[in-house]
Amino acid sequence: MPRLVTMSKDLNADLPWLDALVWDEQGLLPVIAQDAASGRVLMFAWTNREALLETAATGRAVYWSRSRRRLWRKGEESGHVQLVSDIRTDCDGDVILYSVTQEGGIACHTGRESCFFYRLDGENGPWVAADPVLKNPKDIYK
Amino acid sequence: MPRLVTMSKDLNADLPWLDALVWDEQGLLPVIAQDAASGRVLMFAWTNREALLETAATGRAVYWSRSRRRLWRKGEESGHVQLVSDIRTDCDGDVILYSVTQEGGIACHTGRESCFFYRLDGENGPWVAADPVLKNPKDIYK
């Protein structure tokens, strides 16, 4: 797997911008993905050094899947790739913000534009699905 | 402290919308605060049941400060209160998104609009402070 060898090599290189970040005890950071055009917050996920390095190098959003314990190249199953135009971190250097162009206009596995589609209706709830399903998930994940 | 007694009472009540969320092992959830007008992602913080309940009830953003281990009513020192017009959660129910009106136009303790002011300049960095300081922090925290 020459790809991984290359990435490992890069990871061991001197990368001050990665070292400047404040990684948690698991070597992860939270990532917010925001639509570069609409400003909509699309999703929240996690990254590690390898995922962030690949994102910066390729311009395609890569995350670390905590449940699957592997790199998650967004869109690898759905085709809903995210092209990253801007990478930011916050004043504490412990959160990442990707500005993305969302291919297909769908970030959520439910077929919606954004994963943040549940809106609290009144101060006592309930949560209401406030955004339309743009595509049936059965037609996304074949 | 009648206020706290009241809140504790509420916390023990039947609150399905709070129970519906997937709290982490420390009883916390990440929160993204987004400017309702500009769409700018302003900050990232954490909430617990009490902070989220108070936010929903009062319309003012309250967080849980992990470092100080207490409720953090945003703006309590700076005056930079956040008025919350919309509370959302994501498809997994484990992240909160506040749409806020940021009083003073400054969310960051550095005196900037947003905490996400460091932009990665090129794929190898460095991180560059890309947003202006709107107000000297010395004049915010007196």
Side-chain angles (χ1 to χ4, degrees):
Chain A
M1 299 165 74
R3 176 76 179 157
L4 283 176
V5 171
T6 305
M7 296 305 288
S8 300
K9 194 173 167 186
D10 288 343
L11 285 176
N12 291 326
D14 189 29
L15 291 167
W17 72 273
L18 279 179
D19 292 337
L21 298 168
V22 182
W23 301 89
D24 75 8
E25 62 279 3
Q26 296 171 295
L28 303 177
L29 288 180
V31 187
I32 301 160
Q34 181 176 31
D35 190 284
S38 70
R40 191 79 196 268
V41 175
L42 298 178
M43 53 179 279
F44 173 91
W46 296 84
T47 190
N48 65 4
R49 289 174 66 96
E50 189 175 357
L52 187 54
L53 185 64
E54 184 173 317
T55 300
T58 65
R60 175 179 168 178
V62 183
Y63 302 98
W64 174 254
S65 169
R66 296 191 301 174
S67 56
R68 290 175 284 182
R69 302 193 63 75
R70 66 169 178 83
L71 290 188
W72 168 30
R73 294 175 180 89
K74 173 69 179 168
E76 61 193 7
E77 292 177 40
S78 63
H80 294 150
V81 168
Q82 294 174 338
L83 302 177
V84 178
S85 51
D86 197 48
I87 299 176
R88 290 190 174 227
T89 189
D90 71 347
C91 48
D92 296 323
D94 60 3
V95 185
I96 299 293
L97 177 65
Y98 290 164
S99 286
V100 307
T101 299
Q102 176 63 64
E103 297 208 348
I106 294 173
C108 186
H109 75 286
T110 66
R112 293 177 172 88
E113 176 189 11
S114 163
C115 293
F116 290 90
F117 61 83
Y118 285 118
R119 192 173 61 77
L120 188 66
D121 188 17
E123 69 174 88
N124 298 309
W127 298 103
V128 174
D131 300 337
V133 173
L134 302 177
K135 191 170 180 178
N136 190 322
K138 288 178 186 170
D139 297 327
I140 299 174
Y141 303 94
K142 293 171 186 171
Chain B
M1 298 164 75
R3 177 77 179 158
L4 283 177
V5 171
T6 305
M7 297 305 287
S8 299
K9 195 173 168 188
D10 287 344
L11 285 176
N12 291 325
D14 188 30
L15 290 166
W17 71 274
L18 279 179
D19 293 336
L21 297 168
V22 182
W23 301 90
D24 75 8
E25 63 280 0
Q26 294 172 296
L28 303 178
L29 288 180
V31 186
I32 301 159
Q34 181 176 30
D35 190 285
S38 70
R40 191 80 195 266
V41 176
L42 298 177
M43 54 180 279
F44 173 91
W46 296 83
T47 190
N48 63 4
R49 288 174 67 95
E50 189 175 356
L52 186 54
L53 185 64
E54 184 173 317
T55 300
T58 65
R60 175 180 169 177
V62 183
Y63 302 97
W64 174 254
S65 170
R66 296 191 302 174
S67 57
R68 290 175 285 181
R69 302 193 61 77
R70 66 169 178 83
L71 289 188
W72 168 31
R73 294 174 179 90
K74 173 68 179 168
E76 61 193 9
E77 292 177 40
S78 62
H80 295 150
V81 168
Q82 293 174 339
L83 303 177
V84 179
S85 51
D86 198 46
I87 299 177
R88 291 191 174 225
T89 190
D90 70 347
C91 48
D92 296 323
D94 61 2
V95 185
I96 300 293
L97 176 65
Y98 291 163
S99 285
V100 307
T101 299
Q102 176 63 62
E103 297 209 346
I106 293 172
C108 186
H109 76 285
T110 65
R112 293 176 173 88
E113 176 189 10
S114 163
C115 292
F116 290 90
F117 61 84
Y118 285 118
R119 192 173 61 77
L120 189 66
D121 188 16
E123 69 174 89
N124 298 309
W127 298 104
V128 174
D131 300 336
V133 173
L134 303 176
K135 190 171 182 178
N136 190 322
K138 289 179 184 169
D139 297 327
I140 299 174
Y141 303 94
K142 292 171 184 169

